[in-house]
């Protein structure tokens, strides 16, 4: 067995209806002016944001609580810059990300921006790694999908240049994660399915990744089984509380995998798709997955066969069976299985390969010449 290191620097609390108890127990973390970053709309309507603000304001070392809620479903660079300027002006000392992955990623990026003199563009474009000057962050997810509460990345989009990329570094790990499944119980069907598929993508990609370890593989297998059993249950009944809780747990442990085994080609390839179509991360991943699995099979066939068995209880004979099976699963969630369904034409697809950035070498299939272009072409 190869040597490996496991890092989980975030203090994690998991359960249902635990928010008040955890904030009170962890009161020493919340100090001075606390900035809540959120997508806001439904959380305001349901009273969740008001409740969180009052809870934090009641902590002994908190002077005041301010809110920045100008974050889109796919957080934009200009929104994060405005949030940074707002936080600096108000003297924010601690940041809470409250919402889906977009709010959590924006919160982490804003914490970087407030803590550093350098512009956010230097971290986004220059790939400079944030330092310990980054403000401390508490992450409270309200969807089961991204695992951002336990990852060291903030994924944002420059809407003008159509570039989706990330700010990454150990300084972005939240100090505290509160995974309270109650917040996911009002998430609508489309968001539930899209974020749920993101959980599956994290599990599958971190399983196949060259950086996988026995620990992350064990977690991936468990998460794949959870998604296979409970995400279709939510497709049938959004009020299934047990399924909500199980999906939250799978999302959380895949956040650990993200920080320790990373992902494969679909995640890198979705970023240009998301930038061009403004579709969600999970929706883009679903559209790419059948084509990616087709090309990945020669390099990781045994693992892919096991994935399909864990997910659907099917024993595949060949790659055709694999593609048919994953197509069936994706369609059962009401998601697209091609980029064409997201509005990506062949002409656009031809340009996307040149827009993929970052390290792709964790993917076994990355050794194949022109692999990114091949996957995009097949995914149309």
């Amino acid at each position: 067995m190869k040597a490996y290191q496991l890092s989980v620097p975030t203090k994690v609390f998991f359960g249902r209806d635990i928010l008040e108890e955890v904030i009170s127990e962890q009161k020493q973390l919340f100090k001075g002016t606390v900035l809540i970053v959120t997508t806001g709309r439904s959380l305001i309507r349901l009273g969740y944001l008001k409740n969180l603000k009052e809870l934090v304001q009641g902590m002994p070392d908190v002077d005041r609580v301010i809110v920045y809620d100008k974050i889109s479903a796919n957080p934009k660079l200009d929104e994060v810059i405005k949030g940074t300027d707002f936080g600096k002006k108000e003297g924010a000392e601690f940041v809470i990300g409250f919402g889906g992955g977009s709010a959590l990623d924006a919160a982490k990026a804003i914490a970087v921006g407030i803590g550093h003199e350098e512009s956010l563009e230097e971290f986004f474009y220059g790939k400079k790694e944030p330092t310990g000057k980054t403000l401390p962050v508490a992450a409270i997810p309200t969807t089961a999908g991204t695992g951002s509460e336990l990852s060291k990345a903030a994924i944002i989009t420059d809407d003008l240049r159509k570039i989706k990329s990330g700010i990454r570094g150990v300084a972005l790990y939240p100090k505290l994660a509160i995974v309270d499944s109650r917040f996911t119980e009002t998430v609508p069907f489309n968001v539930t399915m899209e974020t749920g598929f993101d959980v599956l993508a994290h599990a599958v990609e971190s399983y196949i990744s060259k950086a996988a370890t026995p620990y992350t593989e064990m977690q991936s297998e468990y998460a794949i089984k959870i998604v296979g059993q409970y995400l279709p249950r939510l497709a049938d009944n959004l009020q299934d509380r047990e399924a909500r809780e199980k999906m939250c747990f799978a999302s959380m442990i895949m956040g650990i995998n993200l920080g320790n085994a990373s992902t494969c080609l679909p995640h890198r390839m979705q970023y240009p798709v998301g930038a061009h179509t403004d579709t969600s991360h999970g929706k883009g991943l679903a559209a790419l997955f059948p084509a990616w699995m087709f090309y990945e099979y020669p390099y990781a066939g045994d693992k892919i066969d096991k994935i399909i068995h864990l997910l659907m209880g099917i024993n595949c004979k060949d790659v055709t069976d694999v593609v048919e099976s994953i197509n069936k699963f994706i369609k059962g969630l009401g998601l697209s299985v091609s980029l064409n369904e997201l509005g990506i034409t062949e002409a656009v697809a031809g340009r996307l390969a040149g827009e993929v950035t970052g390290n792709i070498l964790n993917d076994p299939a990355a050794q194949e010449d022109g692999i990114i272009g091949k996957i995009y072409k097949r995914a149309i």
Side-chain angles (χ1 to χ4, degrees):
M1 184 183 295
K2 68 179 181 180
Y4 64 91
Q5 177 180 336
L6 177 70
S7 179
V8 189
T10 304
K11 181 177 283 189
V12 187
F13 292 83
F14 177 86
R16 185 182 185 279
D17 208 12
I18 61 171
L19 182 68
E20 184 172 356
E21 177 185 348
V22 174
I23 287 180
S24 178
E25 182 180 325
Q26 298 297 309
K27 57 182 178 292
Q28 75 281 357
L29 288 176
F30 303 94
K31 300 178 185 297
T33 297
V34 176
L35 170 63
I36 299 175
V37 178
T38 183
T39 45
R41 270 65 71 189
S42 63
L43 300 177
I44 292 171
R45 176 174 51 82
L46 294 166
Y48 292 152
L49 181 59
K50 179 176 181 290
N51 182 51
L52 174 62
K53 187 175 180 181
E54 290 175 349
L55 285 173
V56 176
Q57 186 66 70
M59 296 303 102
D61 296 325
V62 172
D63 297 326
R64 63 189 182 120
V65 180
I66 55 177
V67 175
Y68 180 74
D69 62 358
K70 305 296 190 295
I71 300 297
S72 302
N74 286 307
K76 308 296 189 293
L77 180 60
D78 65 323
E79 296 169 347
V80 171
I81 290 172
K82 289 175 182 176
T84 296
D85 292 342
F86 173 71
K88 283 186 173 181
K89 179 182 176 183
E90 298 295 329
E93 300 165 66
F94 190 95
V95 179
I96 298 175
F98 184 45
S102 298
L104 304 192
D105 282 1
K108 290 190 283 186
I110 288 170
V112 171
I114 295 173
H116 292 82
E117 294 180 1
E118 300 94 325
S119 69
L120 272 171
E121 286 91 341
E122 290 187 49
F123 299 100
F124 184 74
Y125 286 113
K127 301 304 177 185
K128 184 172 183 177
E129 184 169 331
T131 71
K133 294 179 181 178
T134 303
L135 293 193
V137 174
I140 308 172
T142 61
T143 61
T146 69
S148 183
E149 68 273 13
L150 289 171
S151 81
K152 56 182 177 180
I155 307 302
I156 50 183
T157 301
D158 181 338
D159 207 32
L160 293 176
R161 301 188 191 182
K162 302 300 180 187
I163 295 173
K164 185 174 182 179
S165 187
I167 299 171
R168 294 178 171 86
V170 295
L172 273 75
Y173 277 117
K175 302 298 182 188
L176 173 67
I178 305 173
V179 184
D180 188 333
S181 63
R182 178 172 63 98
F183 293 122
T184 70
E185 292 170 5
T186 53
V187 175
F189 179 86
N190 287 346
V191 178
T192 299
M193 295 302 110
E194 290 165 19
T195 54
F197 190 85
D198 197 9
V199 177
L200 178 63
H202 292 157
V204 171
E205 292 179 49
S206 62
Y207 191 55
I208 290 174
S209 168
K210 290 182 179 180
T213 68
Y215 181 84
T216 62
E217 288 178 343
M218 174 184 68
Q219 294 209 125
S220 285
E221 290 180 3
Y222 187 45
I224 291 165
K225 287 194 288 187
I226 288 175
V227 174
Q229 181 176 353
Y230 291 100
L231 190 56
R233 274 176 50 171
L234 284 172
D236 291 335
N237 177 20
L238 289 176
Q239 309 308 314
D240 188 330
R241 185 179 291 181
E242 180 189 16
R244 291 286 191 186
E245 190 170 27
K246 292 287 190 179
M247 287 300 299
C248 280
F249 185 77
S251 176
M252 180 186 71
I253 63 174
M254 286 306 94
I256 297 172
N257 273 23
L258 289 177
N260 289 278
S262 193
T263 53
C264 290
L265 283 169
H267 264 68
R268 295 294 183 180
M269 293 178 65
Q270 187 279 329
Y271 296 156
V273 172
H276 280 275
T277 64
D278 200 29
T279 51
S280 75
H281 189 51
K283 199 169 187 177
L285 288 169
L288 287 164
F289 243 63
W292 171 68
M293 281 191 154
F294 176 84
Y295 282 107
E296 194 70 40
Y297 196 79
Y299 302 94
D302 289 345
K303 278 193 167 182
I304 290 175
D305 285 341
K306 188 168 186 178
I307 286 163
I308 299 299
H309 180 74
L310 291 168
L311 183 69
M312 304 177 69
I314 295 171
N315 294 317
C316 293
K317 299 188 297 292
D318 52 30
V319 69
T320 300
D321 275 359
V322 167
V323 173
E324 288 178 354
S325 298
I326 196 65
N327 269 333
K328 181 179 179 181
F329 185 80
I330 293 169
K331 289 178 179 178
L333 307 178
L335 298 176
S336 304
V337 293
S338 74
L339 294 178
N340 187 258
E341 295 175 68
L342 305 187
I344 296 289
T345 63
E346 286 191 29
V348 173
R351 301 197 303 268
L352 293 182
E355 298 175 7
V356 174
T357 61
N359 178 24
I360 65 170
L361 298 180
N362 277 334
D363 194 313
Q367 62 188 283
E368 184 172 326
D369 289 342
I371 185 63
I372 292 175
K374 292 176 182 178
I375 295 172
Y376 277 137
K377 185 176 180 179
R378 185 177 178 87
I380 291 296

